[in-house]
Amino acid sequence: MNIEVNGKRRDVQAATLAALLEELGYEDRLVATALNRNFVRAADRQGTELKAGDAVEILVPRQGG
Amino acid sequence: MLDPFYPIVDSAGWIARLLPCGIRFVQLRVKDRPAAEIHEEIAAAKALAMLAGAQLVVNDYWQEAIDLRCDFIHLGQDDLAHADIPAIRRAGLRLGVSTHDEGELARALEVQPDYIALGPIYPTTLKEMAFAPQGLARIGEWKRRIGAIPLVAIGGITLERAGAIFDAGADIVSVVTDVTRADDPEARTCAWVEATRSRKTPRGEGSAHV
Amino acid sequence: MENRPLAIYGTPLSSRLLVGTAQYPSPAILAEAIKASGAEIVTVSLRREAGASRSGESFWSLIRELGAKVLPNTAGCRSVKEAVTTAQMAREVFATSWIKLEVIADDDLLQPDPFGLVEAAAILVRDGFNVLPYMTEDLVLAEKLIGAGCEVLMPWGAPIGSGRGLNNPFALQALRRRFPHVPLIIDAGIGTPAHAAAAMELGYDGVLLNTAIAKAGDPVSMARAFALAVEAGRLAYCAEPIPPRDMAEPSTPQLGRAFADLPRRA
């Protein structure tokens, strides 16, 4: 299905947020996730289903002031 | 610098009533209340004082004070004997201690307190007094002994007596019933603030090097 | 005046200089600069990863190795929702409930949106966060943030990255006097160590800066200079400086001057 990941539209196979992280190569990374602007805890990713048009943010630790 | 007027009250409600009168230094002395209420009372008092820019002192409940991130506590001699002073110091809390005689003064000085209280100066209605009234002369004697540590005078003090007490050497005057049992506690507090404020550098006057 | 140690949300600190981690020429210089600064708290953020690089991982390991406490920020957040969600994500990733809360209103000044800031602060405090709000020097805003449960305030010196120093020292002084017992940390706009010292001499409890070190010609030296300036400013404040005067007052005594009774030569 077609969803938005970090501001870019793309087609993905994954049906859940956890599967999406695996599909995109993040499964062993320290990341934070949000779905449609709502925080999704790591523990809840398995149970979070994706639908077409969803906007997902996958964020990593970065420099900041 | 600690404000020279130091009322002692038993609830956050009292603190809310007196803060608009301009108090800047106040002690919460809660007695005979269930543990859960104490925590709430201290938290409420802390929030009120912080917003008003006043210094709150929590009597006795030092562990709760640490948990709630208060920064100043008062201990009586009994509390002093049982309190974990190193823990209190590690938490960065300031400490005021009550004294009534030489022995208690010695014990207080050992913990390097941020103020020492002497009382009762006059006969007081409030507590069962194990010690006779100290009188004005004792104030001078205590001040000579403790030097730069602020001296708080307490016990039976009324507004009319305040001048003499400062003249005798006290840095700070503490009251309970002169405010809480006044017909108009707010008015009495305002009178106290006006009478004592001139003894301290006014806040907000004059520029620093800006 | 006693130089009492600083504690923020119950954590005692020996250094009153907090530093940001952005815009350094290299990770090595970032690490050296943080060490030279003596800072015990560094700010970090959460961002989308750029490209396929795993630079996020190496950054995070570097920060952990330095042993500093991290203070995540909500930099760039334009709404309450964004700021709250970002804070929640940061809490999970960085394993801390501390959050430097930024809710930004305007592109040119990157000024805090005071209304969004108070709303977001209240939500986050209720959710158990220890909020350090980035604010203007407005007294009413300070009051609202404290009322919402913030126990530390971080007013700007000047707009982020501007290097101007303390744009409104009079207002900052008023804020200091109005809330004598709240830890106040100047955050943003600092350009030189003199600015940092000035902030400390006003009685501020600490200074947070990033650009002034990261983009200096020699960030490591500049970090050390800032550390010294913050320490000097704090010592000076506690040593009670003389007040300013308009007229002169001779420092050398007048009594005993030579040639005192002779008429001055024309």
Side-chain angles (χ1 to χ4, degrees):
Chain A
M1 69 180 114
N2 193 269
I3 62 171
E4 198 178 280
V5 178
N6 286 353
K8 294 207 170 81
R9 303 217 71 89
R10 55 193 302 169
D11 280 316
V12 298
Q13 306 294 328
T16 67
L17 194 47
L20 177 68
L21 290 185
E22 219 181 288
E23 186 176 328
L24 298 179
Y26 283 105
E27 70 272 21
D28 59 345
R29 299 284 308 277
L30 177 64
V31 298
T33 49
L35 173 62
N36 299 328
R37 298 178 164 245
N38 294 309
F39 169 54
V40 180
R41 295 184 311 148
D44 296 335
R45 288 174 193 157
Q46 187 78 340
T48 300
E49 287 178 9
L50 301 173
K51 52 184 202 310
D54 275 345
V56 174
E57 291 287 339
I58 302 171
L59 303 184
V60 298
R62 285 297 299 279
Q63 294 87 330
Chain B
M1 239 198 87
L2 301 176
D3 196 272
F5 175 51
Y6 184 24
I8 298 177
V9 295
D10 65 6
S11 71
W14 264 114
I15 292 177
R17 283 177 70 176
L18 302 186
L19 280 170
C21 309
I23 60 170
R24 298 217 193 105
F25 190 32
V26 62
Q27 186 184 123
L28 177 68
R29 182 166 71 194
V30 182
K31 298 282 182 202
D32 308 320
R33 300 268 286 278
E37 274 182 39
I38 305 251
H39 192 93
E40 291 235 359
E41 207 66 26
I42 297 174
K46 181 194 170 194
L48 288 164
M50 208 176 197
L51 207 46
Q55 175 69 63
L56 172 70
V57 179
V58 176
N59 183 292
D60 188 21
Y61 291 96
W62 55 270
Q63 186 61 64
E64 286 77 354
I66 290 175
D67 295 339
L68 286 164
R69 290 192 296 266
C70 299
D71 62 359
F72 208 144
I73 60 168
H74 179 97
L75 296 179
Q77 288 282 328
D78 289 338
D79 306 327
L80 188 63
H82 298 112
D84 184 348
I85 301 296
I88 288 166
R89 284 314 189 192
R90 273 196 305 275
L93 257 51
R94 280 191 279 182
L95 175 59
V97 180
S98 305
T99 63
H100 307 89
D101 61 28
E102 308 277 344
E104 294 192 351
L105 178 59
R107 273 192 288 288
L109 287 168
E110 270 167 32
V111 299
Q112 295 172 303
D114 297 278
Y115 71 69
I116 283 181
L118 171 67
I121 306 301
Y122 298 104
T124 160
T125 55
L126 204 60
K127 284 197 209 174
E128 280 289 334
M129 286 281 112
F131 299 91
Q134 305 281 354
L136 292 176
R138 199 88 137 135
I139 294 177
E141 198 188 309
W142 245 233
K143 187 59 191 171
R144 277 188 292 281
R145 299 276 299 279
I146 72 179
I149 301 175
L151 176 60
V152 174
I154 182 171
I157 299 177
T158 61
L159 179 53
E160 295 72 24
R161 288 163 161 166
I165 290 173
F166 284 118
D167 291 343
D171 299 297
I172 297 166
V173 167
S174 197
V175 298
V176 185
T177 57
D178 194 58
V179 164
T180 60
R181 294 203 191 146
D183 291 329
D184 185 344
E186 285 84 347
R188 189 67 166 172
T189 300
C190 288
W192 268 104
V193 168
E194 205 174 305
T196 53
R197 194 55 36 95
S198 56
R199 292 185 176 268
K200 201 185 161 194
T201 330
R203 181 169 86 177
E205 299 305 319
S207 271
H209 295 254
V210 293
Chain C
M1 174 189 323
E2 200 194 334
N3 188 355
R4 299 193 55 76
L6 175 62
I8 292 184
Y9 285 113
T11 297
L13 297 168
S14 316
S15 168
R16 292 170 178 272
L17 176 59
L18 293 69
V19 303
T21 55
Q23 306 195 79
Y24 288 79
S26 70
I29 292 178
L30 165 62
E32 285 310 304
I34 290 176
K35 284 190 211 131
S37 74
E40 293 167 328
I41 295 179
V42 300
T43 52
V44 293
S45 75
L46 283 176
R47 285 288 182 265
R48 298 164 173 174
E49 194 156 57
S53 74
R54 293 164 78 103
S55 56
E57 279 184 325
S58 51
F59 168 70
W60 185 219
S61 349
L62 184 136
I63 294 297
R64 281 204 316 273
E65 261 163 57
L66 289 168
K69 181 172 172 63
V70 290
L71 173 60
N73 68 24
T74 64
C77 288
R78 298 298 169 116
S79 70
V80 173
K81 181 82 182 165
E82 279 175 37
V84 169
T85 297
T86 301
Q88 290 167 334
M89 292 197 285
R91 179 165 58 179
E92 185 180 81
V93 166
F94 294 113
T96 174
S97 57
W98 285 31
I99 189 76
K100 174 180 152 177
L101 180 61
E102 297 176 53
V103 183
I104 300 301
D106 167 271
D107 270 328
D108 291 324
L109 294 181
L110 296 180
Q111 184 199 297
D113 162 9
F115 309 99
L117 187 61
V118 174
E119 195 183 327
I123 293 170
L124 291 173
V125 166
R126 273 199 301 276
D127 193 13
F129 284 85
N130 293 135
V131 178
L132 291 80
Y134 166 60
M135 55 180 272
T136 63
E137 67 281 298
D138 188 283
L139 289 182
V140 177
L141 176 56
E143 207 176 283
K144 300 279 181 211
L145 287 167
I146 293 171
C150 297
E151 294 180 16
V152 176
L153 298 177
M154 303 216 292
W156 61 358
I160 295 170
S162 67
R164 285 288 187 195
L166 306 182
N167 269 358
N168 194 344
F170 301 99
L172 291 173
Q173 186 174 241
L175 179 62
R176 173 73 286 175
R177 287 184 167 151
R178 174 66 183 77
F179 296 107
H181 309 297
V182 177
L184 297 178
I185 297 173
I186 294 282
D187 174 22
I190 298 288
T192 68
H195 299 152
M200 299 309 291
E201 285 172 28
L202 281 179
Y204 274 70
D205 295 286
V207 176
L208 170 57
L209 54 98
N210 190 156
T211 310
I213 291 177
K215 292 176 93 167
D218 180 345
V220 179
S221 272
M222 189 58 82
R224 171 122 178 87
F226 270 106
L228 291 167
V230 167
E231 199 184 323
R234 177 64 183 174
L235 277 173
Y237 174 71
C238 295
E240 294 167 43
I242 57 170
R245 304 166 54 99
D246 288 333
M247 295 294 143
E249 183 176 7
S251 41
T252 309
Q254 296 284 61
L255 211 54
R257 271 183 307 143
F259 318 116
D261 296 311
L262 302 179
R264 297 257 166 217
R265 285 180 179 277

